[in-house]
Amino acid sequence: MPITPVIFPELIRALIAAIDANADAVTELDQAIGDGDHVFNLQRGLLALQQHADDIATLDWPAAWQKIGMTVMSAVGGASGSLYATLFIGLAKSSQGKSLDLRGFSEALLLAVEAVKQRGKADVGEKTMLDVLVPAAQALQAEAAANSALPTILARLRQVATEGAEATRDMVATKGRASFLGERSKGHVDAGAKTAQLMISAIADVLDFVVA
C-alpha cells in the first residue's frame, strides 16, 4: 500500500507525544552541554506543523516536504530549526519528478541529509543529530536495495537510530555551544541526536501500524 501524506496528521500527533513524553529527560541532556532550549524549540515547531497538518495531508510528498520545511524554518529557533528545514526542503528538491517508491525515497533522503551536513558544516562523529540521521539514511538505502519487507526496515531504523544517539555519549562535541566544553562534553548523549532518535522511532511505530 502506498504511503501518502494522508497519514501526516497521525505522524505529527505521534511526534508530539514522543517529544512531550521525554521532554524533561532531553532538557536535562541539553542543559548539561547545550543551551537548554532544544525541546522548547522543537515543540514549538511540531505544534506549528500540527496547525497545518490537514492542509499538508492533501499534498503530494514533494509539496508536503516543502511546506514542512518552510513551516519549520519560520517556527523553530536555534540550530535545529535551520537544519530540519534544510532536511525537508532538501527532500522536496531531491524528490521532484522522481519515483517515490522505497528506493527512490531512500535516495532522496540521502541527498537531503547531505544538504544538512553542508548547512551545519558537520558530519558523523561530532556529537550532533547527524550521528542519527546519517546512519538511518544509509540503513534505509541498504534495506531498500535488498528489497527488505517494511517491518524489517522499520526495526532496522529504530536500531540504528538508538545506536547512533547512544554513540554520542562518548564523543567530544565540536559544534555548537557544547564544543566550548571540550572533553567535558563527553559522558552526555547529545540532545539533538536523542530527539532525532525519538522521532524516527515514533514515525516507525506509526508506519508499522499503518501497514499492519
Side-chain angles (χ1 to χ4, degrees):
M1 180 181 69
I3 299 170
T4 71
V6 168
I7 68 168
F8 185 75
E10 187 174 354
L11 286 173
I12 202 67
R13 285 193 295 271
L15 294 176
I16 290 171
I19 297 303
D20 286 354
N22 293 275
D24 290 345
V26 176
T27 296
E28 287 183 12
L29 295 176
D30 195 30
Q31 288 172 337
I33 59 173
D35 294 326
D37 60 355
H38 174 68
V39 169
F40 172 78
N41 287 333
L42 198 55
Q43 288 173 321
R44 184 169 57 186
L46 291 171
L47 289 174
L49 287 172
Q50 189 175 46
Q51 293 174 354
H52 295 285
D54 290 340
D55 291 336
I56 291 171
T58 67
L59 305 173
D60 61 14
W61 277 120
W65 288 321
Q66 181 71 21
K67 177 73 171 178
I68 292 167
M70 296 305 293
T71 301
V72 168
M73 184 180 295
S74 63
V76 182
S80 59
S82 172
L83 296 175
Y84 275 115
T86 298
L87 178 70
F88 287 106
I89 293 171
L91 266 175
K93 291 179 179 178
S94 59
S95 62
Q96 284 288 348
K98 296 181 181 178
S99 170
L100 282 179
D101 57 11
L102 193 55
R103 188 167 300 192
F105 172 69
S106 70
E107 293 171 355
L109 181 61
L110 274 175
L111 291 172
V113 171
E114 186 63 32
V116 175
K117 289 166 64 174
Q118 293 174 6
R119 170 57 67 90
K121 296 180 174 60
D123 207 337
V124 172
E126 296 190 274
K127 206 178 181 86
T128 72
M129 67 171 70
L130 286 168
D131 291 297
V132 171
L133 295 182
V134 171
Q138 291 173 341
L140 179 61
Q141 185 187 46
E143 296 293 343
N147 293 316
S148 299
L150 187 58
T152 300
I153 294 171
L154 297 176
R156 178 64 177 152
L157 289 177
R158 291 187 190 94
Q159 177 189 0
V160 299
T162 299
E163 291 172 352
E166 182 58 32
T168 65
R169 185 183 302 276
D170 295 324
M171 294 176 185
V172 174
T174 61
K175 303 296 176 185
R177 180 177 176 183
S179 65
F180 295 108
L181 297 176
E183 287 288 331
R184 288 180 294 158
S185 65
K186 293 181 68 173
H188 303 276
V189 170
D190 178 69
K194 182 61 180 178
T195 53
Q197 177 255 312
L198 290 169
M199 291 190 289
I200 287 172
S201 296
I203 290 169
D205 290 345
V206 172
L207 295 180
D208 253 341
F209 179 78
V210 166
V211 301

